[in-house]
Short mmCIF file of all heavy atoms in Angstrom, two decimals:
data_model
loop_
_atom_site.label_atom_id
_atom_site.label_comp_id
_atom_site.label_asym_id
_atom_site.label_seq_id
_atom_site.Cartn_x
_atom_site.Cartn_y
_atom_site.Cartn_z
N MET A 222 -175.37 42.05 9.38
CA MET A 222 -174.33 41.13 9.23
C MET A 222 -173.39 41.04 10.42
O MET A 222 -173.09 42.12 10.99
CB MET A 222 -173.39 41.67 8.02
CG MET A 222 -172.20 40.74 7.73
SD MET A 222 -171.56 41.08 6.13
CE MET A 222 -170.19 42.07 6.68
N THR A 223 -172.89 39.88 10.86
CA THR A 223 -172.18 39.69 11.98
C THR A 223 -170.71 39.81 11.57
O THR A 223 -170.20 39.18 10.69
CB THR A 223 -172.34 38.24 12.61
OG1 THR A 223 -173.68 38.16 12.82
CG2 THR A 223 -171.51 37.99 13.76
N LEU A 224 -170.04 40.83 12.18
CA LEU A 224 -168.60 41.07 11.93
C LEU A 224 -167.70 40.28 12.95
O LEU A 224 -166.60 39.98 12.61
CB LEU A 224 -168.28 42.52 12.13
CG LEU A 224 -168.96 43.56 11.17
CD1 LEU A 224 -168.51 44.93 11.34
CD2 LEU A 224 -168.57 43.15 9.78
N ALA A 225 -168.28 39.97 14.11
CA ALA A 225 -167.46 39.30 15.12
C ALA A 225 -168.36 38.51 15.97
O ALA A 225 -169.48 38.78 16.23
CB ALA A 225 -166.71 40.40 15.93
N VAL A 226 -167.77 37.52 16.59
CA VAL A 226 -168.42 36.52 17.57
C VAL A 226 -167.64 36.85 18.85
O VAL A 226 -166.38 36.59 18.92
CB VAL A 226 -168.29 35.15 17.20
CG1 VAL A 226 -168.98 34.28 18.34
CG2 VAL A 226 -169.21 34.80 15.89
N LEU A 227 -168.21 37.44 19.83
CA LEU A 227 -167.40 37.80 21.01
C LEU A 227 -167.37 36.58 22.00
O LEU A 227 -168.42 35.91 22.15
CB LEU A 227 -168.22 38.92 21.78
CG LEU A 227 -168.40 40.09 20.94
CD1 LEU A 227 -169.10 41.23 21.83
CD2 LEU A 227 -166.99 40.81 20.50
N ASP A 228 -166.26 36.47 22.71
CA ASP A 228 -166.14 35.47 23.83
C ASP A 228 -166.45 36.34 25.05
O ASP A 228 -166.58 37.39 25.19
CB ASP A 228 -164.82 34.70 23.69
CG ASP A 228 -163.64 35.54 24.02
OD1 ASP A 228 -163.77 36.76 24.27
OD2 ASP A 228 -162.62 34.95 24.07
N ALA A 229 -166.45 35.52 26.19
CA ALA A 229 -166.76 36.09 27.48
C ALA A 229 -165.70 37.12 27.80
O ALA A 229 -166.05 38.19 28.36
CB ALA A 229 -166.79 35.00 28.54
N SER A 230 -164.44 36.92 27.41
CA SER A 230 -163.47 37.83 27.98
C SER A 230 -163.61 39.19 27.19
O SER A 230 -163.33 40.26 27.81
CB SER A 230 -162.02 37.26 27.59
OG SER A 230 -161.89 36.98 26.43
N ALA A 231 -164.03 39.17 26.00
CA ALA A 231 -164.22 40.43 25.27
C ALA A 231 -165.32 41.25 25.79
O ALA A 231 -165.25 42.47 26.02
CB ALA A 231 -164.53 40.16 23.74
N LEU A 232 -166.47 40.51 26.21
CA LEU A 232 -167.56 41.26 26.79
C LEU A 232 -167.25 41.70 28.23
O LEU A 232 -167.56 42.92 28.53
CB LEU A 232 -168.72 40.31 26.91
CG LEU A 232 -170.07 41.04 27.43
CD1 LEU A 232 -170.47 42.25 26.51
CD2 LEU A 232 -171.25 39.94 27.40
N LEU A 233 -166.47 41.03 28.99
CA LEU A 233 -165.97 41.42 30.27
C LEU A 233 -165.06 42.69 30.19
O LEU A 233 -165.26 43.66 30.93
CB LEU A 233 -165.28 40.36 31.12
CG LEU A 233 -166.13 39.34 31.65
CD1 LEU A 233 -165.32 38.13 32.09
CD2 LEU A 233 -167.07 39.96 32.65
N VAL A 234 -164.19 42.66 29.18
CA VAL A 234 -163.37 43.90 28.90
C VAL A 234 -164.19 45.09 28.65
O VAL A 234 -163.93 46.26 29.28
CB VAL A 234 -162.41 43.69 27.69
CG1 VAL A 234 -161.86 45.00 27.18
CG2 VAL A 234 -161.27 42.72 28.09
N LEU A 235 -165.31 44.96 27.89
CA LEU A 235 -166.14 46.09 27.74
C LEU A 235 -166.90 46.60 28.94
O LEU A 235 -166.99 47.67 29.23
CB LEU A 235 -167.18 45.75 26.48
CG LEU A 235 -168.19 46.76 26.27
CD1 LEU A 235 -167.51 47.93 25.67
CD2 LEU A 235 -169.35 46.25 25.39
N LEU A 236 -167.59 45.60 29.68
CA LEU A 236 -168.41 45.88 30.81
C LEU A 236 -167.54 46.46 31.91
O LEU A 236 -167.94 47.29 32.74
CB LEU A 236 -169.01 44.68 31.26
CG LEU A 236 -170.11 44.11 30.20
CD1 LEU A 236 -170.67 42.78 30.77
CD2 LEU A 236 -171.22 45.11 30.08
N LEU A 237 -166.27 46.02 32.04
CA LEU A 237 -165.39 46.53 33.21
C LEU A 237 -164.48 47.65 32.70
O LEU A 237 -163.77 48.21 33.57
CB LEU A 237 -164.54 45.34 33.60
CG LEU A 237 -165.30 44.05 34.12
CD1 LEU A 237 -164.32 42.95 34.50
CD2 LEU A 237 -166.10 44.50 35.43
N GLY A 238 -164.70 48.15 31.55
CA GLY A 238 -163.86 49.35 31.12
C GLY A 238 -162.43 49.14 31.03
O GLY A 238 -161.62 50.04 31.24
N GLU A 239 -162.03 47.87 30.75
CA GLU A 239 -160.58 47.61 30.75
C GLU A 239 -159.90 47.97 29.34
O GLU A 239 -160.67 48.29 28.39
CB GLU A 239 -160.33 46.18 30.97
CG GLU A 239 -160.85 45.60 32.34
CD GLU A 239 -160.65 44.20 32.61
OE1 GLU A 239 -160.32 43.39 31.69
OE2 GLU A 239 -160.75 43.83 33.73
N PRO A 240 -158.64 47.98 29.27
CA PRO A 240 -157.96 48.32 28.01
C PRO A 240 -158.43 47.36 26.90
O PRO A 240 -158.60 46.18 27.14
CB PRO A 240 -156.51 48.10 28.32
CG PRO A 240 -156.34 48.30 29.78
CD PRO A 240 -157.60 47.75 30.37
N GLY A 241 -158.72 47.89 25.77
CA GLY A 241 -159.26 47.20 24.70
C GLY A 241 -160.80 47.34 24.51
O GLY A 241 -161.31 46.83 23.50
N SER A 242 -161.43 47.97 25.52
CA SER A 242 -162.90 48.05 25.42
C SER A 242 -163.42 48.82 24.24
O SER A 242 -164.40 48.56 23.66
CB SER A 242 -163.40 48.61 26.79
OG SER A 242 -162.93 49.94 26.88
N GLU A 243 -162.55 49.81 23.78
CA GLU A 243 -162.84 50.56 22.58
C GLU A 243 -163.05 49.71 21.39
O GLU A 243 -163.85 49.92 20.52
CB GLU A 243 -161.97 51.84 22.45
CG GLU A 243 -160.53 51.42 22.15
CD GLU A 243 -159.62 50.97 23.29
OE1 GLU A 243 -160.10 51.13 24.40
OE2 GLU A 243 -158.66 50.33 23.06
N LYS A 244 -162.17 48.76 21.25
CA LYS A 244 -162.22 47.76 20.11
C LYS A 244 -163.41 47.00 20.10
O LYS A 244 -164.16 46.75 19.03
CB LYS A 244 -160.96 46.86 20.14
CG LYS A 244 -159.66 47.58 19.75
CD LYS A 244 -158.55 46.64 19.80
CE LYS A 244 -157.30 47.47 19.59
NZ LYS A 244 -156.10 46.63 19.50
N VAL A 245 -163.81 46.48 21.29
CA VAL A 245 -165.09 45.73 21.36
C VAL A 245 -166.23 46.66 21.07
O VAL A 245 -167.21 46.25 20.39
CB VAL A 245 -165.22 45.14 22.85
CG1 VAL A 245 -166.51 44.26 23.01
CG2 VAL A 245 -164.02 44.21 23.10
N ARG A 246 -166.36 47.75 21.74
CA ARG A 246 -167.40 48.67 21.40
C ARG A 246 -167.57 49.06 19.95
O ARG A 246 -168.76 49.13 19.46
CB ARG A 246 -167.19 50.01 22.23
CG ARG A 246 -168.44 51.03 22.16
CD ARG A 246 -168.14 52.28 23.01
NE ARG A 246 -167.63 52.08 24.29
CZ ARG A 246 -168.39 51.70 25.41
NH1 ARG A 246 -169.66 51.40 25.18
NH2 ARG A 246 -167.84 51.46 26.55
N ALA A 247 -166.51 49.11 19.20
CA ALA A 247 -166.56 49.42 17.69
C ALA A 247 -167.26 48.32 16.88
O ALA A 247 -167.77 48.72 15.83
CB ALA A 247 -165.05 49.71 17.26
N VAL A 248 -167.22 47.12 17.39
CA VAL A 248 -167.88 45.99 16.68
C VAL A 248 -169.18 45.55 17.37
O VAL A 248 -169.80 44.56 16.83
CB VAL A 248 -166.99 44.95 16.40
CG1 VAL A 248 -165.75 45.41 15.46
CG2 VAL A 248 -166.54 44.18 17.57
N LEU A 249 -169.46 46.04 18.42
CA LEU A 249 -170.64 45.52 19.27
C LEU A 249 -171.92 45.38 18.63
O LEU A 249 -172.60 44.34 18.58
CB LEU A 249 -170.72 46.42 20.63
CG LEU A 249 -171.63 45.76 21.61
CD1 LEU A 249 -171.25 44.44 22.13
CD2 LEU A 249 -171.79 46.76 22.75
N ALA A 250 -172.25 46.41 17.84
CA ALA A 250 -173.57 46.46 17.20
C ALA A 250 -173.70 45.34 15.99
O ALA A 250 -174.80 44.79 15.81
CB ALA A 250 -173.84 47.74 16.51
N GLU A 251 -172.54 44.91 15.58
CA GLU A 251 -172.51 43.85 14.52
C GLU A 251 -171.93 42.53 14.97
O GLU A 251 -171.56 41.81 14.38
CB GLU A 251 -171.66 44.30 13.27
CG GLU A 251 -172.33 45.50 12.54
CD GLU A 251 -171.96 46.84 13.17
OE1 GLU A 251 -170.94 46.94 13.93
OE2 GLU A 251 -172.68 47.84 13.06
N SER A 252 -172.13 42.33 16.31
CA SER A 252 -171.44 41.02 16.98
C SER A 252 -172.52 40.17 17.49
O SER A 252 -173.71 40.47 17.52
CB SER A 252 -170.71 41.49 18.13
OG SER A 252 -169.54 42.35 17.75
N ALA A 253 -172.01 38.77 17.56
CA ALA A 253 -172.91 37.90 18.12
C ALA A 253 -172.17 37.34 19.37
O ALA A 253 -171.08 37.47 19.63
CB ALA A 253 -173.11 36.73 17.16
N LEU A 254 -173.01 36.73 20.33
CA LEU A 254 -172.41 36.20 21.55
C LEU A 254 -173.24 34.86 21.80
O LEU A 254 -174.44 34.88 21.73
CB LEU A 254 -172.69 37.13 22.66
CG LEU A 254 -172.19 36.82 24.04
CD1 LEU A 254 -170.71 36.82 24.17
CD2 LEU A 254 -172.85 37.71 25.10
N THR A 255 -172.44 33.79 22.08
CA THR A 255 -173.08 32.53 22.39
C THR A 255 -173.68 32.47 23.82
O THR A 255 -173.27 33.21 24.72
CB THR A 255 -172.18 31.36 22.30
OG1 THR A 255 -171.19 31.35 23.29
CG2 THR A 255 -171.44 31.37 20.96
N VAL A 256 -174.65 31.66 24.08
CA VAL A 256 -175.23 31.56 25.33
C VAL A 256 -174.18 31.00 26.27
O VAL A 256 -174.12 31.42 27.54
CB VAL A 256 -176.45 30.46 25.34
CG1 VAL A 256 -177.00 30.19 26.71
CG2 VAL A 256 -177.57 31.09 24.41
N VAL A 257 -173.29 30.16 25.95
CA VAL A 257 -172.18 29.71 26.81
C VAL A 257 -171.39 30.83 27.26
O VAL A 257 -171.10 31.04 28.53
CB VAL A 257 -171.41 28.65 26.18
CG1 VAL A 257 -170.23 28.20 26.87
CG2 VAL A 257 -172.14 27.39 25.75
N ASN A 258 -170.95 31.79 26.41
CA ASN A 258 -170.26 32.92 26.85
C ASN A 258 -171.01 33.87 27.63
O ASN A 258 -170.46 34.45 28.59
CB ASN A 258 -169.64 33.62 25.52
CG ASN A 258 -168.42 32.87 24.96
OD1 ASN A 258 -167.56 32.40 25.70
ND2 ASN A 258 -168.49 32.54 23.70
N LEU A 259 -172.22 34.05 27.33
CA LEU A 259 -173.06 34.89 28.24
C LEU A 259 -173.11 34.34 29.64
O LEU A 259 -172.98 35.03 30.62
CB LEU A 259 -174.41 35.02 27.63
CG LEU A 259 -175.40 35.85 28.48
CD1 LEU A 259 -174.91 37.31 28.61
CD2 LEU A 259 -176.79 36.00 27.80
N GLY A 260 -173.23 32.99 29.69
CA GLY A 260 -173.29 32.36 31.04
C GLY A 260 -171.95 32.51 31.72
O GLY A 260 -171.96 32.77 32.94
N GLU A 261 -170.88 32.64 31.15
CA GLU A 261 -169.55 32.81 31.78
C GLU A 261 -169.51 34.19 32.31
O GLU A 261 -169.02 34.50 33.41
CB GLU A 261 -168.44 32.63 30.74
CG GLU A 261 -168.21 31.11 30.38
CD GLU A 261 -167.04 31.08 29.42
OE1 GLU A 261 -166.08 31.75 29.63
OE2 GLU A 261 -166.99 30.15 28.57
N VAL A 262 -170.05 35.17 31.58
CA VAL A 262 -170.09 36.55 32.06
C VAL A 262 -171.00 36.70 33.34
O VAL A 262 -170.70 37.28 34.23
CB VAL A 262 -170.60 37.54 30.93
CG1 VAL A 262 -170.77 38.93 31.45
CG2 VAL A 262 -169.55 37.51 29.82
N VAL A 263 -172.25 36.11 33.26
CA VAL A 263 -173.18 36.10 34.38
C VAL A 263 -172.43 35.47 35.55
O VAL A 263 -172.49 36.07 36.61
CB VAL A 263 -174.41 35.37 33.98
CG1 VAL A 263 -175.26 35.13 35.19
CG2 VAL A 263 -175.17 36.23 32.92
N GLY A 264 -171.81 34.33 35.36
CA GLY A 264 -171.15 33.64 36.42
C GLY A 264 -169.92 34.55 37.04
O GLY A 264 -169.90 34.41 38.18
N HIS A 265 -169.30 35.17 36.30
CA HIS A 265 -168.26 36.14 36.75
C HIS A 265 -168.80 37.06 37.77
O HIS A 265 -168.31 37.35 38.88
CB HIS A 265 -167.47 36.86 35.70
CG HIS A 265 -166.77 38.05 36.00
ND1 HIS A 265 -165.45 37.84 36.47
CD2 HIS A 265 -166.88 39.36 36.21
CE1 HIS A 265 -164.87 38.97 36.87
NE2 HIS A 265 -165.85 39.94 36.61
N PHE A 266 -169.95 37.75 37.36
CA PHE A 266 -170.50 38.71 38.26
C PHE A 266 -171.17 38.06 39.41
O PHE A 266 -171.07 38.72 40.51
CB PHE A 266 -171.48 39.62 37.47
CG PHE A 266 -170.82 40.65 36.55
CD1 PHE A 266 -170.79 40.44 35.07
CD2 PHE A 266 -170.05 41.77 37.11
CE1 PHE A 266 -170.13 41.27 34.38
CE2 PHE A 266 -169.47 42.63 36.24
CZ PHE A 266 -169.42 42.43 34.85
N ALA A 267 -171.77 36.90 39.32
CA ALA A 267 -172.33 36.29 40.49
C ALA A 267 -171.22 35.84 41.46
O ALA A 267 -171.37 36.03 42.63
CB ALA A 267 -173.20 35.08 40.08
N ARG A 268 -170.13 35.27 40.97
CA ARG A 268 -169.08 34.95 41.90
C ARG A 268 -168.47 36.09 42.62
O ARG A 268 -167.94 35.97 43.68
CB ARG A 268 -167.95 34.19 41.17
CG ARG A 268 -168.27 32.79 40.73
CD ARG A 268 -167.13 32.13 40.21
NE ARG A 268 -166.48 32.80 38.95
CZ ARG A 268 -166.97 32.68 37.80
NH1 ARG A 268 -168.03 31.90 37.41
NH2 ARG A 268 -166.34 33.39 36.73
N ASN A 269 -168.59 37.26 41.99
CA ASN A 269 -167.96 38.53 42.62
C ASN A 269 -168.93 39.31 43.25
O ASN A 269 -168.77 40.41 43.61
CB ASN A 269 -167.26 39.31 41.46
CG ASN A 269 -166.00 38.60 41.06
OD1 ASN A 269 -165.01 38.47 41.89
ND2 ASN A 269 -166.00 37.98 39.83
N GLY A 270 -170.07 38.73 43.69
CA GLY A 270 -171.00 39.42 44.64
C GLY A 270 -172.05 40.41 44.01
O GLY A 270 -172.69 41.11 44.73
N ALA A 271 -172.23 40.41 42.68
CA ALA A 271 -173.20 41.33 42.11
C ALA A 271 -174.61 40.78 42.52
O ALA A 271 -174.90 39.61 42.48
CB ALA A 271 -173.03 41.31 40.62
N ALA A 272 -175.59 41.67 42.62
CA ALA A 272 -176.94 41.34 42.96
C ALA A 272 -177.53 40.70 41.75
O ALA A 272 -177.36 41.13 40.62
CB ALA A 272 -177.65 42.65 43.39
N GLU A 273 -178.40 39.68 41.98
CA GLU A 273 -179.08 38.93 40.87
C GLU A 273 -179.77 39.80 39.90
O GLU A 273 -179.72 39.66 38.68
CB GLU A 273 -180.00 37.80 41.45
CG GLU A 273 -180.59 36.99 40.51
CD GLU A 273 -181.61 35.93 40.91
OE1 GLU A 273 -181.77 35.88 42.14
OE2 GLU A 273 -182.26 35.36 40.16
N ARG A 274 -180.52 40.71 40.48
CA ARG A 274 -181.34 41.62 39.56
C ARG A 274 -180.53 42.47 38.60
O ARG A 274 -181.02 42.88 37.57
CB ARG A 274 -182.31 42.50 40.44
CG ARG A 274 -181.59 43.57 41.25
CD ARG A 274 -182.56 44.39 42.01
NE ARG A 274 -182.06 45.60 42.64
CZ ARG A 274 -181.02 45.71 43.42
NH1 ARG A 274 -180.41 44.67 43.83
NH2 ARG A 274 -180.68 46.95 43.83
N ARG A 275 -179.33 42.62 38.95
CA ARG A 275 -178.35 43.41 38.00
C ARG A 275 -177.65 42.56 36.93
O ARG A 275 -177.10 43.07 36.02
CB ARG A 275 -177.29 44.09 38.85
CG ARG A 275 -177.85 44.90 39.99
CD ARG A 275 -177.26 46.27 40.18
NE ARG A 275 -176.71 46.82 39.05
CZ ARG A 275 -175.65 47.63 39.22
NH1 ARG A 275 -175.10 48.06 40.38
NH2 ARG A 275 -175.19 48.28 38.12
N ILE A 276 -177.65 41.18 37.21
CA ILE A 276 -176.95 40.39 36.28
C ILE A 276 -177.69 39.33 35.48
O ILE A 276 -177.30 38.84 34.45
CB ILE A 276 -175.71 39.64 36.91
CG1 ILE A 276 -176.40 38.72 38.04
CG2 ILE A 276 -174.82 40.58 37.41
CD1 ILE A 276 -175.31 37.84 38.76
N VAL A 277 -179.01 39.05 35.77
CA VAL A 277 -179.78 38.08 35.17
C VAL A 277 -180.38 38.62 33.89
O VAL A 277 -181.25 39.53 33.93
CB VAL A 277 -180.91 37.52 35.99
CG1 VAL A 277 -181.76 36.53 35.33
CG2 VAL A 277 -180.26 36.84 37.27
N PRO A 278 -179.92 38.23 32.72
CA PRO A 278 -180.35 38.70 31.44
C PRO A 278 -181.87 38.60 31.19
O PRO A 278 -182.51 39.43 30.79
CB PRO A 278 -179.59 37.96 30.37
CG PRO A 278 -178.52 37.31 31.18
CD PRO A 278 -178.97 37.13 32.50
N GLY A 279 -182.52 37.52 31.70
CA GLY A 279 -183.93 37.34 31.54
C GLY A 279 -184.82 38.38 32.23
O GLY A 279 -185.98 38.57 31.89
N LYS A 280 -184.24 39.04 33.17
CA LYS A 280 -185.00 40.09 33.82
C LYS A 280 -185.33 41.21 32.99
O LYS A 280 -186.22 42.01 33.06
CB LYS A 280 -184.31 40.62 35.11
CG LYS A 280 -183.97 39.57 36.17
CD LYS A 280 -185.25 39.31 37.04
CE LYS A 280 -184.74 38.23 38.16
NZ LYS A 280 -185.71 37.97 39.02
N ALA A 281 -184.43 41.39 31.97
CA ALA A 281 -184.53 42.66 31.12
C ALA A 281 -185.21 42.25 29.70
O ALA A 281 -185.54 43.13 28.94
CB ALA A 281 -183.20 43.31 30.84
N LEU A 282 -185.36 40.95 29.50
CA LEU A 282 -185.82 40.47 28.16
C LEU A 282 -187.19 39.92 28.34
O LEU A 282 -187.51 39.32 29.26
CB LEU A 282 -184.90 39.40 27.65
CG LEU A 282 -183.43 39.81 27.47
CD1 LEU A 282 -182.67 38.51 26.98
CD2 LEU A 282 -183.26 40.82 26.30
N PRO A 283 -187.95 40.05 27.21
CA PRO A 283 -189.34 39.46 27.35
C PRO A 283 -189.21 37.97 27.47
O PRO A 283 -188.28 37.36 26.68
CB PRO A 283 -190.01 39.87 26.00
CG PRO A 283 -188.93 40.28 25.15
CD PRO A 283 -187.75 40.74 26.04
N ARG A 284 -190.15 37.41 28.10
CA ARG A 284 -190.13 35.89 28.29
C ARG A 284 -190.78 35.30 27.08
O ARG A 284 -191.81 35.84 26.67
CB ARG A 284 -190.82 35.51 29.51
CG ARG A 284 -190.02 36.05 30.77
CD ARG A 284 -190.51 35.41 31.97
NE ARG A 284 -189.78 36.02 33.13
CZ ARG A 284 -189.05 35.16 33.88
NH1 ARG A 284 -188.97 33.87 33.83
NH2 ARG A 284 -188.34 35.75 34.84
N PRO A 285 -190.33 34.12 26.69
CA PRO A 285 -190.98 33.34 25.54
C PRO A 285 -192.42 33.00 25.95
O PRO A 285 -192.70 32.70 27.02
CB PRO A 285 -190.12 32.22 25.24
CG PRO A 285 -189.15 32.17 26.36
CD PRO A 285 -189.20 33.40 27.20
N SER A 286 -193.26 32.99 24.91
CA SER A 286 -194.64 32.52 25.04
C SER A 286 -194.67 31.12 25.49
O SER A 286 -193.88 30.27 25.00
CB SER A 286 -195.41 32.77 23.84
OG SER A 286 -196.74 32.10 23.93
N ARG A 287 -195.54 30.70 26.48
CA ARG A 287 -195.68 29.32 26.92
C ARG A 287 -196.87 28.67 26.20
O ARG A 287 -197.13 27.62 26.61
CB ARG A 287 -195.69 29.27 28.45
CG ARG A 287 -194.42 29.69 29.05
CD ARG A 287 -194.49 29.43 30.55
NE ARG A 287 -193.27 29.80 31.08
CZ ARG A 287 -192.54 29.16 31.95
NH1 ARG A 287 -193.01 27.96 32.36
NH2 ARG A 287 -191.39 29.60 32.39
N SER A 288 -197.48 29.32 25.36
CA SER A 288 -198.74 28.80 24.83
C SER A 288 -198.24 27.72 23.86
O SER A 288 -197.17 27.72 23.19
CB SER A 288 -199.43 29.84 24.00
OG SER A 288 -198.62 30.30 23.00
N ARG A 289 -198.96 26.54 23.76
CA ARG A 289 -198.75 25.52 22.81
C ARG A 289 -199.80 25.30 21.81
O ARG A 289 -200.94 25.40 22.08
CB ARG A 289 -198.52 24.22 23.70
CG ARG A 289 -197.47 24.21 24.69
CD ARG A 289 -197.39 22.90 25.37
NE ARG A 289 -196.37 22.97 26.45
CZ ARG A 289 -196.00 22.16 27.26
NH1 ARG A 289 -196.60 20.91 27.11
NH2 ARG A 289 -194.98 22.12 28.02
N SER A 290 -199.33 24.91 20.61
CA SER A 290 -200.32 24.63 19.54
C SER A 290 -200.73 23.14 19.70
O SER A 290 -199.92 22.30 19.90
CB SER A 290 -199.59 24.85 18.22
OG SER A 290 -199.16 26.14 18.08
N ILE A 291 -202.02 23.01 19.41
CA ILE A 291 -202.55 21.62 19.57
C ILE A 291 -203.05 21.19 18.16
O ILE A 291 -203.61 21.90 17.50
CB ILE A 291 -203.77 21.59 20.56
CG1 ILE A 291 -203.14 21.86 22.00
CG2 ILE A 291 -204.23 20.16 20.55
CD1 ILE A 291 -204.11 21.87 23.08
#
């Protein structure tokens, strides 16, 4: 069950260890995050010089199958 929908700022608070991160961590397992908000988080790290391999979510996730049904 989803207890919270996180926005980009909540995820950044958690990832950067800022005040309030303990509140985000407490609901993280039961949370959802939109693709738009994930994009904002990725953009934040890209603008601040993080290496692509450290921030691109697709690098850690399995790629969808490209097979097509006929």
Side-chain angles (χ1 to χ4, degrees):
M222 179 169 100
T223 302
L224 294 179
V226 178
L227 302 179
D228 68 357
S230 62
L232 188 55
L233 285 169
V234 162
L235 176 68
L236 294 173
L237 298 173
E239 294 180 350
S242 62
E243 63 283 345
K244 292 179 181 181
V245 178
R246 188 177 311 281
V248 298
L249 188 61
E251 294 86 22
S252 296
L254 180 72
T255 68
V256 172
V257 172
N258 284 313
L259 179 59
E261 289 183 35
V262 173
V263 169
H265 167 83
F266 286 106
R268 284 188 305 278
N269 288 290
E273 180 181 357
R274 71 183 193 296
R275 303 224 30 212
I276 59 173
V277 176
K280 301 276 184 177
L282 300 174
R284 297 193 179 238
S286 171
R287 293 188 179 229
S288 62
R289 294 183 182 181
S290 299
I291 299 177

